[in-house]
Amino acid sequence: MLHRFKNNLIGVIGLLGCVVGGALDISHFRLGGIKTDTPLGQLAQWSASWFTPAPSAIRAGTDRDELTVLLFLIAYVALMMLFGLLFWLRTGNGGAAARRPAWQGRAMLAAQMAIALSYPHSLLYLVAAELGLVLALRSGLRWLALQALLLVLLVLAPLPGNEYTRSDGWVREVLLDLGTMTLWQCIAFGIGHMAAVERRGRIELAAANGELRATQLLLADTVRSAERLRIARDLHDIVGHHLTALNLHLDLSLRQSGAAAPPALATARELAQGLLAEVRVVVGSERGAQRIDLREALAALCAGIPQPRIALRFAPGLEIASPAVAHTLFCCVQEAISNAVRHAAAGQLDIELVRADDGVSVLLRIEDDGAGSRATEEGNGLRGMRERLALLGGELKAGNRPRRGFGMEIVLPAGAGAA
């Protein structure tokens, strides 16, 4: 929970702004009364007139005023709570806003603008910051221009209590106020946009750092495996060859000496045969001990990704002996994570590596809950995966999931490319 609040700092600031601003406004209402010249005040006054008699008497007018204040405060608190909830949902980390249908996001944003324009115009600054944080630059600027236009129309509209349209020198006054509010909205939008850029950069930097650490682990395992294989080959080709030749010469010496052969010669032959047997055992052990710790490399890769949340399942007892297979699987997982971070706006990524049904191949299943792919053709990432897998006889199935997100299945022979 603390990690979630930390990643959504703008959302926390917005909620605090709603709480503090709402408390100050309610205190102001209790001291100075409500503003009935606002859309929210007009609505409260109109609603109160339906439940109280006409203010022909002093008591009736007092009842209507009290009911107007009560309705105004109830509506104000409800709108502030609704605005805070929408702001938190829109700015929530993990790509929730991007995964939401476009019409739903626009409806939530329109509701926030309507709330901010109804009375507490200070909320427009939070909406501007949200536009910079959640939307792309061009789309955010269009929404910001729409918000400024609606504010101008609301201020200039000849509504009851609108002092701008009935005062002397109102043009200069309204231009000054609107210019100031627009300037602060642009500043809030810039802050939100910079926060979005910083958050994306931080996530990509953490992902790159995790990829680097995981690649180092995989490279270290590959180097160790290659060194063990080289030593095993040297033992077999050099030491084993010489020991075999030594055994042949000792056998020949024993046969030539016959009964006159000294006991030391027979002992030397037995020792040479035992040494050759031990070398063969060591060579076989070194060849059989070759394996790449792909589990540790993938765990390091997933641990370095702050967003989305990654659930890694590695089947118990599954070992990858071929460096080529391990490297290919690692690159496929790396590409899938990169797509989830940069394009899919996913909040959850599931990675499963198990033994395939044939008992020989390895099955890699990757699924996310992101926005899916709208492209009609595969990108360079998927094409690169297919090319890597084709070299080792593997297969790739990829596409959008039935409900939401993107998924892929990779089947690769475990011993493909083994030396």
Side-chain angles (χ1 to χ4, degrees):
M1 182 62 68
L2 182 60
H3 177 73
R4 189 174 181 181
F5 274 86
K6 181 180 178 181
N7 287 335
N8 191 13
L9 184 58
I10 295 293
V12 174
I13 294 176
L15 292 178
L16 291 177
C18 292
V19 172
V20 174
L24 293 177
D25 284 342
I26 291 176
S27 300
H28 173 73
F29 298 153
R30 295 182 62 184
L31 295 175
I34 66 173
K35 291 186 177 181
T36 58
D37 58 346
T38 61
L40 186 60
Q42 292 288 329
L43 179 62
Q45 196 173 38
W46 176 79
S47 301
S49 65
W50 285 85
F51 299 99
T52 56
S56 56
I58 298 178
R59 180 61 184 171
T62 303
D63 292 342
R64 177 171 296 183
D65 292 340
E66 292 179 353
L67 183 58
T68 299
V69 173
L70 179 61
L71 292 177
F72 182 90
L73 291 178
I74 293 175
Y76 181 82
V77 172
L79 289 178
M80 291 293 287
M81 293 177 63
L82 178 60
F83 182 90
L85 176 62
L86 293 177
F87 190 89
W88 175 260
L89 293 177
R90 288 280 297 169
T91 59
N93 198 24
R99 298 193 302 273
R100 196 174 292 118
W103 67 267
Q104 189 177 12
R106 289 193 293 267
M108 295 172 66
L109 190 55
Q112 288 179 270
M113 282 190 181
I115 294 173
L117 291 170
S118 64
Y119 177 77
H121 289 172
S122 58
L123 294 181
L124 292 175
Y125 306 134
L126 292 178
V127 176
E130 175 187 335
L131 294 176
L133 180 68
V134 175
L135 300 180
L137 182 59
R138 292 185 179 180
S139 180
L141 288 176
R142 287 195 294 266
W143 277 92
L144 185 64
L146 175 62
Q147 178 174 275
L149 178 61
L150 292 177
L151 179 62
V152 171
L153 295 177
L154 182 64
V155 170
L156 297 181
L159 297 175
N162 198 334
E163 68 277 6
Y164 286 121
T165 58
R166 298 194 301 269
S167 60
D168 298 332
W170 66 273
V171 175
R172 183 176 62 182
E173 185 177 354
V174 70
L175 289 179
L176 180 61
D177 288 349
L178 290 177
T180 302
M181 295 184 67
T182 302
L183 176 61
W184 282 108
Q185 290 181 56
C186 292
I187 293 175
F189 178 85
I191 293 174
H193 180 68
M194 288 189 296
V197 172
E198 186 275 335
R199 185 167 70 180
R200 287 194 298 268
R202 176 165 47 85
I203 292 176
E204 292 181 0
L205 180 61
N209 183 58
E211 292 176 1
L212 178 60
R213 292 179 57 238
T215 303
Q216 289 176 339
L217 290 173
L218 189 62
L219 179 61
D221 280 346
T222 304
V223 170
R224 284 194 294 267
S225 177
E227 185 65 16
R228 284 186 173 183
L229 181 60
R230 186 191 65 81
I231 293 174
R233 285 173 176 173
D234 290 344
L235 285 174
H236 179 270
D237 297 339
I238 299 175
V239 179
H241 173 73
H242 285 82
L243 287 176
T244 301
L246 178 61
N247 277 307
L248 291 176
H249 284 286
L250 290 174
D251 285 339
L252 180 60
S253 298
L254 284 174
R255 284 196 297 268
Q256 291 177 347
S257 301
L265 186 60
T267 302
R269 179 179 175 275
E270 293 177 359
L271 290 175
Q273 288 179 342
L275 183 57
L276 179 59
E278 290 180 1
V279 168
R280 288 174 177 172
V281 171
V282 171
V283 170
S285 176
E286 287 298 314
R287 286 184 176 274
Q290 292 183 61
R291 73 180 185 89
I292 305 298
D293 197 349
L294 184 60
R295 185 200 308 268
E296 183 181 1
L298 292 180
L301 176 62
C302 298
I305 309 298
Q307 195 66 31
R309 297 179 300 275
I310 301 179
L312 174 64
R313 179 177 176 268
F314 203 102
L318 178 62
E319 294 184 355
I320 307 297
S322 171
V325 172
H327 181 259
T328 300
L329 293 174
F330 178 82
C331 289
C332 291
V333 173
Q334 190 177 43
E335 180 64 26
I337 292 177
S338 297
N339 289 337
V341 170
R342 298 174 183 172
H343 308 299
Q348 179 71 30
L349 181 65
D350 297 321
I351 302 174
E352 184 181 23
L353 189 63
V354 296
R355 185 71 66 182
D357 294 336
D358 58 8
V360 178
S361 302
V362 176
L363 173 62
L364 174 62
R365 186 180 294 110
I366 304 175
E367 297 178 345
D368 64 57
D369 62 349
S373 176
R374 299 184 178 92
T376 56
E377 297 182 357
E378 292 184 349
N380 293 327
L382 286 178
R383 284 199 295 267
M385 285 186 188
R386 293 190 185 277
E387 293 170 357
R388 288 178 181 273
L389 293 170
L391 295 175
L392 301 177
E395 297 180 358
L396 169 64
K397 296 180 181 179
N400 291 330
R401 299 170 63 190
R403 293 186 178 180
R404 186 178 65 186
F406 191 83
M408 63 178 65
E409 285 190 358
I410 295 172
V411 179
L412 187 63

